[in-house]
Amino acid sequence: MCVHLADRLITDPLGWIYLGGFEEQLSSHDGINKMHGWFRKLLKTRGSLSIQNKKDEIITKDSVTSAGSLSYSSASPLPAVPPGKSPSKPRQQQLVLASEQRWKKKYDLFVCHSSTDSDMEEATQLVLSLEAAPHELRCFLWHRDACPGAAVTTEFGHALEDSHVWALLITPSFVQDDWCKYMMHQVLAEGPMSNRMIPLLQNLPHTQYPMELRFYYYIDLSRNPHRGHNIVNKTVLGYLENLVKEELKSDHKLDESERISQKETSKQCSTVTSTDEEEKQTLQ
């Protein structure tokens, strides 16, 4: 019996590491008893090893699952802004640019300048800066957008009426040009003491500043043109934003008036109904 057990252990790959100790134990006097205890110990060791391997597999699966969920949560998008909070500036700008009030006019900004090369170049740089992303304003330049063959006064008058804000590029050439002075007076007549006009100074001494504009703030482009362009953009967007706010206020007032009228109508109807019921009861 001992020989058959030894043969089985020799052919078992898991018991190969115990073969030498097993043969030594067979040669002892109580080899059978010791062999029986050793065999039980071997089976117990193998059982504990299988249990430990299962635990390791479970731990490995849990760790992989938790790591996968962590990577998924880190890659998930950021939560949206709650409805109670105000939108961010880019979002607010998109709402203003897409508003119905803005598209009621063809242009956001009308640029008035003289016909000298330097003034035309400065006006073109301003318009290109405002029309490029992220500003994307609609500007009118007479030497670019005027219709060929049309009357100058008619073309300028239509563009002036179809623009939200007007910018005057005031230079030494501007104050000496009669046509520019005429356009300045037209702008003042169209929106006196309003925030729709933006005086832009370029290489002009303060002594030559037009007396008609002394009550208006101006932007000096001579110091920092890029900063001046940004201020013009903010001014135009601010005006458009105020238009949107006024529209929302008017819509709210209309809704309130409609609610009040509906309440009054319902009250009148209930009064008439109660009167009819009283008359019926009186007749009965």
Side-chain angles (χ1 to χ4, degrees), residues 17-274:
I17 57 175
Y18 305 102
L19 181 58
F22 179 71
E23 288 180 350
E24 290 178 358
Q25 290 174 354
L26 287 178
S27 61
S28 61
H29 180 71
D30 54 349
I32 296 175
N33 294 330
K34 292 182 178 180
M35 180 190 68
H36 181 69
W38 178 87
F39 190 71
R40 291 179 63 186
K41 184 177 180 181
L42 174 63
L43 294 177
K44 184 177 180 180
T45 304
R46 292 177 62 183
S48 62
L49 288 174
S50 61
I51 293 173
Q52 184 66 28
N53 290 334
K54 291 181 179 180
K55 290 181 178 180
D56 294 340
E57 290 179 359
I58 294 173
I59 293 172
T60 304
K61 290 181 179 179
D62 293 339
S63 62
V64 171
T65 305
S66 62
S69 62
L70 179 62
S71 62
Y72 178 78
S73 62
S74 62
S76 60
L78 295 175
V81 179
K85 294 185 178 180
S86 59
S88 59
K89 288 185 178 180
R91 175 63 177 170
Q92 187 175 4
Q93 179 176 339
Q94 291 177 0
L95 293 175
V96 170
L97 295 179
S99 63
E100 183 180 356
Q101 286 292 327
R102 182 206 180 199
W103 290 95
K104 287 183 178 180
K105 292 184 179 293
K106 187 177 181 180
Y107 302 105
D108 300 319
L109 182 67
F110 175 92
V111 182
C112 180
H113 58 88
S114 70
S115 58
T116 59
D117 294 339
S118 59
D119 288 4
M120 291 175 64
E121 182 179 357
E122 182 62 32
T124 302
Q125 291 179 1
L126 170 64
V127 168
L128 293 179
S129 174
L130 297 177
E131 290 179 342
H135 306 314
E136 299 179 354
L137 297 181
R138 303 166 301 163
C139 303
F140 175 83
L141 274 176
W142 65 266
H143 63 272
R144 183 194 67 177
D145 301 320
C147 180
V152 176
T153 55
T154 304
E155 193 72 10
F156 273 55
H158 290 168
L160 189 68
E161 294 177 358
D162 213 8
S163 300
H164 288 289
V165 185
W166 314 297
L168 305 178
L169 183 58
I170 305 174
T171 62
S173 301
F174 182 94
V175 296
Q176 295 176 3
D177 193 327
D178 294 335
W179 178 251
C180 291
K181 291 181 181 180
Y182 169 78
M183 292 301 302
M184 179 181 66
H185 293 151
Q186 287 295 110
V187 169
L188 290 173
E190 188 73 21
M193 302 303 296
S194 66
N195 57 349
R196 298 180 63 184
M197 185 184 64
I198 307 175
L200 304 175
L201 264 64
Q202 179 73 24
N203 301 324
L204 182 73
H206 187 70
T207 55
Q208 297 182 10
Y209 189 70
M211 293 297 293
E212 297 88 341
L213 305 178
R214 64 183 182 272
F215 295 111
Y216 293 87
Y217 287 105
Y218 61 87
I219 300 174
D220 193 354
L221 299 179
S222 305
R223 299 179 180 179
N224 191 340
H226 180 69
R227 181 175 178 273
H229 297 172
N230 289 334
I231 296 175
V232 173
N233 174 69
K234 291 180 180 179
T235 304
V236 176
L237 290 179
Y239 176 79
L240 296 176
E241 184 177 354
N242 290 333
L243 286 181
V244 175
K245 290 181 180 179
E246 292 296 330
E247 182 183 12
L248 293 176
K249 288 181 181 179
S250 62
D251 292 342
H252 181 70
K253 290 180 180 179
L254 289 175
D255 294 338
E256 289 294 330
S257 62
E258 288 178 358
R259 291 176 184 175
I260 293 173
S261 62
Q262 288 178 359
K263 288 182 179 179
E264 292 178 352
T265 304
S266 61
K267 287 181 180 179
Q268 292 176 358
C269 292
S270 61
T271 303
V272 172
T273 304
S274 61

